[in-house]
Amino acid sequence: MALAYDPLFITSEKSGMEVASPPPPMVLTQDELKRIAAYKAVEFVESGMVLGLGTGSTAKHAVDRIGELLRQGKLENIVGIPTSKKTQEQALSVGIPLSDLDAHPVIDLSIDGADEVDPYLNLVKGRGGSLLREKMIEGASKKFVVIVDESKMVKHIGGSKLALPVEIVPFCWRFTAEKLRKLLEGYGCEANLRLGEKGKPFVTDNGNYIVDMHLEKDMGDLGAASDAILRLPGVVEHGMFLDMASTVIIAGELGVKIKNKHTSC
């Protein structure tokens, strides 16, 4: 049975959606909303689990909370599989024992944030640069809980007009970026190499580059778009996480909503 911790103003039901009541007495910041969603997600964690530990500003709260519960003795025998070097450092700092997919090819539960969530619980991830390891680990999970604030909900993938990341090999990156642009030009696509410090290319934990795709139109068949992107030589992985999320926890100023797979429409 999952542990229940400080539900704040959350009420639970077994249906596909849970709505908090009453509303909070003050306006919450985006970071406070992220923390609320993360703490709710950690309620799914049980002692003895192998956990996929996500990357980003929302997932950071979940990692901190898991470490806190371990120190308090409310969780025991947890093994974490980090999705990035940054998360690895954070998890070690809060006392979470770590391993990897080679030792644990099946993960009980992963908790991570997302950059976009559509009505069917398809996701965009990777604006933090960790999409490949996130997809490997979360794809190996029995349950994948996504934590977001309400600003991340979109009508369709790409709907925020922010980046859809694609990880590519550095070799002849301009060639690959142009192939990506042409592939999706019917959707008003722009393809830009992500830059890091001092204007140099951003380099992922895997030594690759990222091309950020900005779309003006709905791609429609996401499975077909996914397959077409992955067929391009030079592409390593893209940031669409299709049909992977089991549950999405959405924190808003009026409380928390929970959408479960197959009950979200």
Side-chain angles (χ1 to χ4, degrees):
M1 184 175 183
L3 298 175
Y5 316 111
D6 300 330
L8 300 173
F9 46 85
I10 299 164
T11 58
S12 298
E13 298 177 2
K14 290 185 178 180
S15 61
M17 182 177 292
E18 300 179 355
V19 182
S21 178
M26 64 184 70
V27 176
L28 298 174
T29 66
Q30 188 178 39
D31 190 62
E32 287 169 333
L33 293 174
K34 291 177 179 180
R35 180 181 60 84
I36 290 168
Y39 276 39
K40 179 63 176 175
V42 175
E43 292 184 21
F44 288 91
V45 177
E46 301 176 13
S47 292
M49 278 187 166
V50 177
L51 301 177
L53 304 176
T55 296
S57 59
T58 309
K60 178 180 183 297
H61 290 297
V63 174
D64 283 341
R65 180 61 168 162
I66 293 166
E68 179 183 8
L69 295 172
L70 282 169
R71 293 191 299 273
Q72 293 173 351
K74 295 180 179 179
L75 287 175
E76 297 177 337
N77 302 318
I78 294 295
V79 175
I81 313 292
T83 55
S84 67
K85 292 178 180 178
K86 185 174 183 180
T87 298
Q88 178 179 346
E89 293 171 358
Q90 181 199 359
L92 290 173
S93 74
V94 298
I96 301 175
L98 299 181
S99 188
D100 57 30
L101 283 174
D102 289 336
H104 298 278
V106 178
I107 295 172
D108 295 305
L109 168 69
S110 284
I111 299 174
D112 204 354
D115 301 308
E116 290 184 359
V117 181
D118 79 2
Y120 303 96
L121 306 192
N122 295 311
L123 317 173
V124 170
K125 292 177 51 57
R127 290 179 189 155
S130 302
L131 63 98
L132 177 58
R133 296 190 187 191
E134 288 173 340
K135 190 170 283 191
M136 290 175 68
I137 290 168
E138 288 149 12
S141 301
K142 296 177 183 177
K143 186 175 182 67
F144 176 25
V145 177
V146 178
I147 45 180
V148 295
D149 65 85
E150 59 190 355
S151 71
K152 303 301 173 63
M153 306 304 295
V154 295
K155 293 181 179 179
H156 59 82
I157 290 300
S160 69
K161 301 297 193 296
L162 299 176
L164 168 60
V166 180
E167 188 162 342
I168 67 171
V169 297
F171 175 73
C172 293
W173 68 263
R174 291 180 180 84
F175 171 85
T176 307
E178 179 60 14
K179 288 289 187 182
L180 285 165
R181 187 196 67 77
K182 286 183 177 180
L183 178 67
L184 298 179
E185 66 181 346
Y187 308 107
C189 176
E190 293 184 7
N192 301 308
L193 182 71
R194 184 178 299 184
L195 301 179
E197 295 181 359
K198 299 180 180 180
K200 295 182 179 180
F202 173 87
V203 179
T204 71
D205 285 349
N206 315 297
N208 296 317
Y209 291 172
I210 287 182
V211 172
D212 287 322
M213 316 288 287
H214 297 268
L215 305 171
E216 291 295 328
K217 301 177 183 178
D218 184 355
M219 289 183 288
D221 188 338
L222 297 178
S226 169
D227 291 343
I229 291 171
L230 293 175
R231 281 197 297 267
L232 290 177
V235 168
V236 178
E237 188 54 86
H238 60 68
M240 289 187 287
F241 285 51
L242 307 181
D243 199 31
M244 289 179 61
S246 308
T247 298
V248 176
I249 299 175
I250 310 151
E253 291 185 359
L254 297 180
V256 169
K257 296 179 181 179
I258 296 184
K259 292 189 175 184
N260 292 314
K261 194 173 183 178
H262 305 312
T263 61
S264 56
C265 301

